[in-house]
Amino acid sequence: MKSLFETENQQSILNRIQNLNEISQPNWGKMDVAQMLTHCQKPLEVANGTLQLNTKIGFAKKLLFKLFKSTMYNNKPWQKNLSTVREFRITDAQDFTSQKEKLIHVINEFSQLKEKKCWPTHPLFGDFTTKQWGKMQYKHLDHHLTQFGV
């Protein structure tokens, strides 16, 4: 699996984002392109430590999430139309240009953390290594850029 910590993969993601425009249409899902750009910032902000999720889950669900943890960063593509946590759901109108610029900024911030050792604990999946964070963030961005055909 590719990682957002690898310069060529980061640049590929940034190039794909540049290929989006205000009328880019999704191949699946409910978000428009500006909402998707906003949504994609959220997991990066969790990893960067600038967003804390208040998601509380019980023991049984936590155990279930741990069973699926590797799907976050393995080589298999994510399924279309997966549900997401409440804090990542973007339903209100967003400004395309400002959200595109913000996503690029957040990606660049995250990509500078490849030497980081102490990451926030993910509220659903627990702890990830630096390598896993890089793969997971790449996979999430790739999933949504594919959703919009870039």
Side-chain angles (χ1 to χ4, degrees):
M1 172 51 58
K2 295 180 180 180
S3 171
L4 203 55
F5 290 134
E6 296 165 351
T7 304
E8 62 275 7
N9 296 328
Q10 175 193 3
Q11 191 57 55
S12 172
I13 291 290
L14 295 174
N15 291 342
R16 291 167 69 189
I17 291 169
Q18 291 301 339
N19 288 326
L20 293 167
N21 59 56
E22 291 186 36
I23 60 169
S24 295
Q25 295 295 310
N27 294 315
W28 71 84
K30 298 176 183 174
M31 292 184 288
D32 66 29
V33 67
Q35 291 168 329
M36 179 274 290
L37 292 168
T38 306
H39 165 81
C40 285
Q41 296 165 33
K42 302 306 178 187
L44 290 158
E45 291 171 343
V46 168
N48 289 347
T50 58
L51 175 64
Q52 292 184 336
L53 301 180
N54 294 321
T55 305
K56 293 185 178 18
I57 59 172
F59 177 77
K61 273 193 175 180
K62 192 172 273 198
L63 186 60
L64 183 64
F65 277 108
K66 286 197 182 238
L67 291 173
F68 290 99
K69 181 178 176 178
S70 67
T71 64
M72 299 299 289
Y73 54 82
N74 67 15
N75 290 326
K76 295 179 184 176
W78 287 348
Q79 295 176 4
K80 298 172 183 174
N81 296 311
L82 288 173
S83 62
T84 190
V85 295
R86 184 177 354 100
E87 293 92 343
F88 292 0
R89 288 186 198 131
I90 310 299
T91 56
D92 53 332
Q94 301 291 313
D95 178 71
F96 173 81
T97 303
S98 64
Q99 294 308 316
K100 181 177 173 181
E101 289 171 5
K102 186 173 178 189
L103 177 58
I104 290 168
H105 174 75
V106 175
I107 288 169
N108 288 332
E109 276 185 340
F110 175 80
S111 295
Q112 298 303 309
L113 301 175
K114 60 182 136 198
E115 302 301 323
K116 186 173 179 170
K117 302 291 185 221
C118 185
W119 293 90
T121 297
H122 193 282
L124 301 177
F125 294 99
D127 293 321
F128 289 101
T129 66
T130 300
K131 191 173 185 178
Q132 291 167 340
W133 274 110
K135 289 178 178 183
M136 180 172 53
Q137 297 301 339
Y138 177 88
K139 190 172 179 176
H140 183 244
L141 291 164
D142 178 64
H143 172 78
H144 285 293
L145 293 171
T146 300
Q147 177 187 15
F148 280 83
V150 296

